[in-house]
Amino acid sequence: MEEYRQITLDEWTQWKEDIRRKLGETAGNFVHIGYRLKQIRDSGMYDGAADIFAFAEKEYGLGKSTVSRFIAINEKYSEGGNSLELKEEFRGFSSSKLSEMLTLPDSEVELITEKTTIREIRELKAFNSQIPKKTGTTAGEEGKSAAAAGGGKGNVRTALEKCLVDFFKDKKDMLNGVMRHLKEEPPAYKEAAELMAPSQTSHKKGIVFIFLYDWNTGVKYKLMTESEPVSISWTELLNTVYGIFESFEKDDVWGDFYKEPEEQKEDVREDAEKTVLSESDQGIAPVATSQQNAEKEQDNEQKGEPEKSEKTRTEVKSEAAAGVTDAGAGIKYSDGMNQHIGNQKKIIKERLQTMEFRCDEGNWDGLIDNAKEIITRAESIKNMVEVWNG
């Protein structure tokens, strides 16, 4: 590392021209430029300009934020934090990636490799900006009291397991292939890992953001509730995968676990119909589902009885008491459905308030993430209504 000392005019001129040359070369010279700018800043020689920012604007047309970024990159990524050389682990990184990484805490910089995309870095920062719900449990225990994330076997899953379930939900061939490798004797762990992540990839779900690297590097994941990432081997991760899916159909694990769309739709319909209040719950006439109404109309036709064109006053009062609404398409909601939709609306309104805060502070990644969550919740309500209505 060079030390500052009394400089000559020739040296100062050399620094200035060195910056000009590096600006015309590759982005990997950000560290080099940052160091030279610091040298000129600390020399106090600005060629008549007020400070280093005015000097850089006059000489190179660089804005204040760009100058600050050059200097910050040098301080964070150069050897010793104050040299012309980029640290070895960051060689090959683009300048835009180094810039994007500046606001990451040091503990999370280790998650980023040469193959990590800028989009993934931004997603990680947006992930960090979210505030997890307080559950009263530690990060390692999170999810153990929640319902299973798929498969309908009644298991409970940790946050990492839920993330893995979500990772495989649109990867049928991958999951079936991984499980075939894991069921070999001995398990073909490396082959399973290469099938699961042929190139570096990442996935986030809930409070987990997982990064899958090559076989030698292993796996790392970040929990929203913890400051430090967790490192595990591929063998550990694949044993977790095996524990989730081992009891499902050998030849088609994915199909048995996730089920076909029509089966999922029928399960949702049955769950929704179970929320219809019984007469014993309310002490009033029960509200009929659309299926029950259709069966009743069919019975009437067989008996030759005329179809009722209007509801009786008793039926209207019963539906009003049970919280039934008419959306113009014959949709009848039970108390359970109304409560669920009401809760979702409340959460959406809370997220809208959060979006105002994100907008005011200029947290655009957080704002985008909140908007995506609102859209997801709105689509969930819409899909539930469509399933209920057949």
Side-chain angles (χ1 to χ4, degrees):
M1 182 175 72
E2 297 184 21
E3 295 181 357
Y4 294 121
R5 53 181 172 75
Q6 188 67 33
I7 62 170
T8 66
L9 181 59
D10 285 343
E11 286 176 320
W12 181 85
T13 302
Q14 180 184 351
W15 297 344
K16 187 175 72 169
E17 292 307 311
D18 195 24
I19 294 173
R20 198 183 306 279
R21 286 194 304 273
K22 294 298 181 182
L23 282 170
E25 296 178 7
T26 63
N29 289 307
F30 270 40
V31 164
H32 191 114
I33 295 168
Y35 183 75
R36 290 301 188 205
L37 286 170
K38 287 198 300 180
Q39 284 183 307
I40 293 176
R41 178 197 65 190
D42 295 339
S43 74
M45 298 172 61
Y46 304 130
D47 200 17
D51 54 25
I52 186 61
F53 301 110
F55 171 82
E57 173 66 32
K58 174 185 173 183
E59 286 288 330
Y60 315 113
L62 300 177
K64 184 175 181 179
S65 62
T66 302
V67 173
S68 297
R69 188 162 63 251
F70 279 133
I71 293 174
I73 285 176
N74 178 270
E75 292 175 343
K76 189 162 186 174
Y77 303 120
S78 69
E79 292 288 355
N82 189 34
S83 70
L84 288 165
E85 297 299 322
L86 183 68
K87 290 180 181 178
E88 184 176 356
E89 60 263 36
F90 299 118
R91 290 172 189 172
F93 282 40
S94 67
S95 60
S96 54
K97 186 180 292 186
L98 293 177
S99 296
E100 200 68 50
M101 291 164 55
L102 279 174
T103 53
L104 284 177
D106 291 341
S107 62
E108 292 180 17
V109 169
E110 68 181 62
L111 294 171
I112 311 303
T113 71
E114 188 175 342
K115 293 183 179 180
T116 307
T117 65
I118 291 177
R119 177 186 61 80
E120 288 175 314
I121 298 172
R122 290 175 178 170
E123 287 181 347
L124 177 60
K125 291 195 287 187
F127 174 82
N128 288 334
S129 72
Q130 298 178 58
I131 303 174
K133 295 180 180 178
K134 294 181 180 180
T135 60
T137 59
T138 65
E141 295 170 341
E142 194 281 340
K144 292 183 179 179
S145 60
K153 299 295 184 182
N155 296 328
V156 291
R157 309 205 182 281
T158 65
L160 177 60
E161 289 171 338
K162 288 179 182 179
C163 184
L164 290 169
V165 167
D166 191 70
F167 174 81
F168 283 114
K169 72 179 180 181
D170 58 352
K171 300 177 178 67
K172 180 175 182 176
D173 292 340
M174 179 188 289
L175 176 59
N176 288 339
V178 166
M179 289 304 292
R180 280 195 294 272
H181 286 307
L182 296 182
K183 290 181 178 181
E184 293 179 17
E185 290 294 343
Y189 286 116
K190 187 173 183 180
E191 290 79 358
E194 291 172 349
L195 181 59
M196 190 171 167
S199 180
Q200 180 182 315
T201 189
S202 65
H203 189 78
K204 59 185 174 69
K205 176 66 176 177
I207 67 166
V208 178
F209 200 141
I210 190 169
F211 289 80
L212 308 175
Y213 306 107
D214 59 47
W215 172 256
N216 292 325
T217 307
V219 176
K220 296 178 182 180
Y221 63 91
K222 176 72 170 58
L223 288 163
M224 196 181 294
T225 53
E226 300 293 332
S227 58
E228 298 291 328
V230 179
S231 299
I232 59 175
S233 67
W234 266 107
T235 301
E236 291 175 285
L237 182 80
L238 290 168
N239 282 338
T240 302
V241 171
Y242 186 78
I244 296 171
F245 300 105
E246 64 174 320
S247 62
F248 293 84
E249 172 62 37
K250 181 178 180 180
D251 294 328
D252 186 11
V253 175
W254 187 95
D256 188 25
F257 184 89
Y258 291 97
K259 301 184 179 182
E260 295 301 323
E262 283 304 314
E263 293 181 56
Q264 292 177 335
K265 181 176 179 180
E266 186 60 32
D267 286 347
V268 173
R269 187 193 302 278
E270 290 177 2
D271 290 341
E273 289 181 349
K274 287 176 183 178
T275 64
V276 177
L277 298 178
S278 67
E279 182 175 357
S280 60
D281 288 333
Q282 293 293 320
I284 59 176
V287 180
T289 64
S290 57
Q291 181 179 355
Q292 290 168 334
N293 284 335
E295 292 172 353
K296 186 176 181 181
E297 290 170 4
Q298 184 178 1
D299 289 341
N300 288 340
E301 289 177 0
Q302 292 174 350
K303 295 176 182 177
E305 295 178 6
E307 183 179 335
K308 292 183 180 180
S309 59
E310 295 182 357
K311 298 175 185 177
T312 66
R313 187 169 300 177
T314 302
E315 289 173 332
V316 173
K317 289 174 66 177
S318 297
E319 291 182 352
V324 177
T325 60
D326 190 341
I331 303 173
K332 295 180 175 62
Y333 298 82
S334 71
D335 247 16
M337 283 280 285
N338 277 328
Q339 183 178 0
H340 172 74
I341 293 175
N343 289 340
Q344 293 302 304
K345 287 181 178 178
K346 182 178 179 181
I347 293 172
I348 288 173
K349 289 177 180 177
E350 291 174 351
R351 295 299 183 269
L352 287 170
Q353 292 177 345
T354 303
M355 286 180 71
E356 291 184 14
F357 173 74
R358 301 287 191 212
C359 187
D360 290 340
E361 67 178 5
N363 185 347
W364 309 121
D365 288 331
L367 188 68
I368 292 170
D369 199 67
N370 285 145
K372 288 179 180 178
E373 181 185 352
I374 289 172
I375 292 171
T376 299
R377 290 185 184 277
E379 288 177 342
S380 176
I381 295 173
K382 178 176 176 290
N383 292 337
M384 182 174 292
V385 170
E386 290 176 349
V387 170
W388 176 277
N389 204 35

PDB file of all heavy atoms in Angstrom, residues 20 33 48 151 166 182 200 266 275 367 370 389:
ATOM      1  N   ARG A  20      -7.740   9.905 -16.389  1.00  0.00           N
ATOM      2  CA  ARG A  20      -8.311  10.090 -17.716  1.00  0.00           C
ATOM      3  C   ARG A  20      -8.168   8.816 -18.560  1.00  0.00           C
ATOM      4  O   ARG A  20      -9.087   8.413 -19.271  1.00  0.00           O
ATOM      5  CB  ARG A  20      -7.653  11.271 -18.412  1.00  0.00           C
ATOM      6  CG  ARG A  20      -8.456  11.813 -19.601  1.00  0.00           C
ATOM      7  CD  ARG A  20      -7.712  12.953 -20.295  1.00  0.00           C
ATOM      8  NE  ARG A  20      -7.345  14.006 -19.372  1.00  0.00           N
ATOM      9  CZ  ARG A  20      -8.192  14.970 -18.955  1.00  0.00           C
ATOM     10  NH1 ARG A  20      -9.448  14.958 -19.351  1.00  0.00           N
ATOM     11  NH2 ARG A  20      -7.775  15.901 -18.121  1.00  0.00           N
ATOM     12  N   ILE A  33      -9.215   4.186 -10.276  1.00  0.00           N
ATOM     13  CA  ILE A  33      -9.662   5.581 -10.367  1.00  0.00           C
ATOM     14  C   ILE A  33      -9.957   6.131  -8.979  1.00  0.00           C
ATOM     15  O   ILE A  33      -9.583   7.264  -8.651  1.00  0.00           O
ATOM     16  CB  ILE A  33     -10.914   5.686 -11.268  1.00  0.00           C
ATOM     17  CG1 ILE A  33     -10.554   5.303 -12.709  1.00  0.00           C
ATOM     18  CG2 ILE A  33     -11.505   7.090 -11.221  1.00  0.00           C
ATOM     19  CD1 ILE A  33     -11.759   5.097 -13.603  1.00  0.00           C
ATOM     20  N   GLY A  48      -7.522  25.112  -8.970  1.00  0.00           N
ATOM     21  CA  GLY A  48      -8.449  26.229  -8.939  1.00  0.00           C
ATOM     22  C   GLY A  48      -9.871  25.864  -8.576  1.00  0.00           C
ATOM     23  O   GLY A  48     -10.698  26.758  -8.322  1.00  0.00           O
ATOM     24  N   GLY A 151     -48.370 -30.976  -0.654  1.00  0.00           N
ATOM     25  CA  GLY A 151     -48.448 -32.419  -0.556  1.00  0.00           C
ATOM     26  C   GLY A 151     -49.609 -32.940   0.229  1.00  0.00           C
ATOM     27  O   GLY A 151     -50.018 -34.076   0.063  1.00  0.00           O
ATOM     28  N   ASP A 166     -41.228 -24.508  -2.445  1.00  0.00           N
ATOM     29  CA  ASP A 166     -41.584 -23.499  -3.446  1.00  0.00           C
ATOM     30  C   ASP A 166     -40.612 -23.545  -4.629  1.00  0.00           C
ATOM     31  O   ASP A 166     -41.016 -23.338  -5.776  1.00  0.00           O
ATOM     32  CB  ASP A 166     -41.558 -22.113  -2.798  1.00  0.00           C
ATOM     33  CG  ASP A 166     -42.172 -21.047  -3.685  1.00  0.00           C
ATOM     34  OD1 ASP A 166     -43.405 -21.082  -3.868  1.00  0.00           O
ATOM     35  OD2 ASP A 166     -41.435 -20.181  -4.185  1.00  0.00           O
ATOM     36  N   LEU A 182     -31.053 -39.469  -5.151  1.00  0.00           N
ATOM     37  CA  LEU A 182     -30.965 -39.580  -3.692  1.00  0.00           C
ATOM     38  C   LEU A 182     -31.405 -40.949  -3.184  1.00  0.00           C
ATOM     39  O   LEU A 182     -31.028 -41.342  -2.080  1.00  0.00           O
ATOM     40  CB  LEU A 182     -31.811 -38.479  -3.034  1.00  0.00           C
ATOM     41  CG  LEU A 182     -31.344 -37.036  -3.289  1.00  0.00           C
ATOM     42  CD1 LEU A 182     -32.239 -36.052  -2.541  1.00  0.00           C
ATOM     43  CD2 LEU A 182     -29.881 -36.845  -2.847  1.00  0.00           C
ATOM     44  N   GLN A 200     -25.004 -21.533 -11.055  1.00  0.00           N
ATOM     45  CA  GLN A 200     -25.406 -20.868  -9.816  1.00  0.00           C
ATOM     46  C   GLN A 200     -26.800 -20.270  -9.944  1.00  0.00           C
ATOM     47  O   GLN A 200     -27.140 -19.643 -10.940  1.00  0.00           O
ATOM     48  CB  GLN A 200     -24.409 -19.759  -9.474  1.00  0.00           C
ATOM     49  CG  GLN A 200     -24.759 -19.019  -8.184  1.00  0.00           C
ATOM     50  CD  GLN A 200     -23.782 -17.898  -7.885  1.00  0.00           C
ATOM     51  OE1 GLN A 200     -22.579 -18.088  -7.993  1.00  0.00           O
ATOM     52  NE2 GLN A 200     -24.295 -16.740  -7.515  1.00  0.00           N
ATOM     53  N   GLU A 266     -60.167 -28.666  -6.445  1.00  0.00           N
ATOM     54  CA  GLU A 266     -61.214 -29.352  -5.693  1.00  0.00           C
ATOM     55  C   GLU A 266     -60.960 -29.262  -4.195  1.00  0.00           C
ATOM     56  O   GLU A 266     -61.884 -29.088  -3.406  1.00  0.00           O
ATOM     57  CB  GLU A 266     -61.273 -30.820  -6.128  1.00  0.00           C
ATOM     58  CG  GLU A 266     -62.435 -31.608  -5.507  1.00  0.00           C
ATOM     59  CD  GLU A 266     -63.782 -31.020  -5.865  1.00  0.00           C
ATOM     60  OE1 GLU A 266     -63.925 -30.453  -6.965  1.00  0.00           O
ATOM     61  OE2 GLU A 266     -64.700 -31.120  -5.023  1.00  0.00           O
ATOM     62  N   THR A 275     -66.434 -23.961   5.411  1.00  0.00           N
ATOM     63  CA  THR A 275     -66.601 -22.763   6.225  1.00  0.00           C
ATOM     64  C   THR A 275     -68.055 -22.300   6.298  1.00  0.00           C
ATOM     65  O   THR A 275     -68.368 -21.354   7.010  1.00  0.00           O
ATOM     66  CB  THR A 275     -65.755 -21.597   5.669  1.00  0.00           C
ATOM     67  OG1 THR A 275     -66.234 -21.245   4.372  1.00  0.00           O
ATOM     68  CG2 THR A 275     -64.292 -21.987   5.564  1.00  0.00           C
ATOM     69  N   LEU A 367     -40.342  -0.539  -2.443  1.00  0.00           N
ATOM     70  CA  LEU A 367     -41.629  -0.126  -3.002  1.00  0.00           C
ATOM     71  C   LEU A 367     -42.117  -1.144  -4.017  1.00  0.00           C
ATOM     72  O   LEU A 367     -43.292  -1.547  -4.004  1.00  0.00           O
ATOM     73  CB  LEU A 367     -41.473   1.254  -3.666  1.00  0.00           C
ATOM     74  CG  LEU A 367     -42.747   1.941  -4.145  1.00  0.00           C
ATOM     75  CD1 LEU A 367     -43.624   2.349  -2.973  1.00  0.00           C
ATOM     76  CD2 LEU A 367     -42.397   3.170  -4.981  1.00  0.00           C
ATOM     77  N   ASN A 370     -43.248  -4.335  -2.211  1.00  0.00           N
ATOM     78  CA  ASN A 370     -44.566  -4.167  -1.604  1.00  0.00           C
ATOM     79  C   ASN A 370     -45.666  -4.248  -2.654  1.00  0.00           C
ATOM     80  O   ASN A 370     -46.725  -4.858  -2.428  1.00  0.00           O
ATOM     81  CB  ASN A 370     -44.664  -2.835  -0.867  1.00  0.00           C
ATOM     82  CG  ASN A 370     -43.928  -2.834   0.455  1.00  0.00           C
ATOM     83  OD1 ASN A 370     -43.367  -1.818   0.859  1.00  0.00           O
ATOM     84  ND2 ASN A 370     -43.904  -3.955   1.163  1.00  0.00           N
ATOM     85  N   ASN A 389     -66.822 -20.116  -7.023  1.00  0.00           N
ATOM     86  CA  ASN A 389     -67.947 -19.943  -7.925  1.00  0.00           C
ATOM     87  C   ASN A 389     -67.979 -20.999  -9.042  1.00  0.00           C
ATOM     88  O   ASN A 389     -68.864 -20.995  -9.867  1.00  0.00           O
ATOM     89  CB  ASN A 389     -67.907 -18.548  -8.557  1.00  0.00           C
ATOM     90  CG  ASN A 389     -69.276 -18.087  -9.004  1.00  0.00           C
ATOM     91  OD1 ASN A 389     -70.268 -18.393  -8.364  1.00  0.00           O
ATOM     92  ND2 ASN A 389     -69.324 -17.341 -10.095  1.00  0.00           N
TER      93      ASN A 389
END
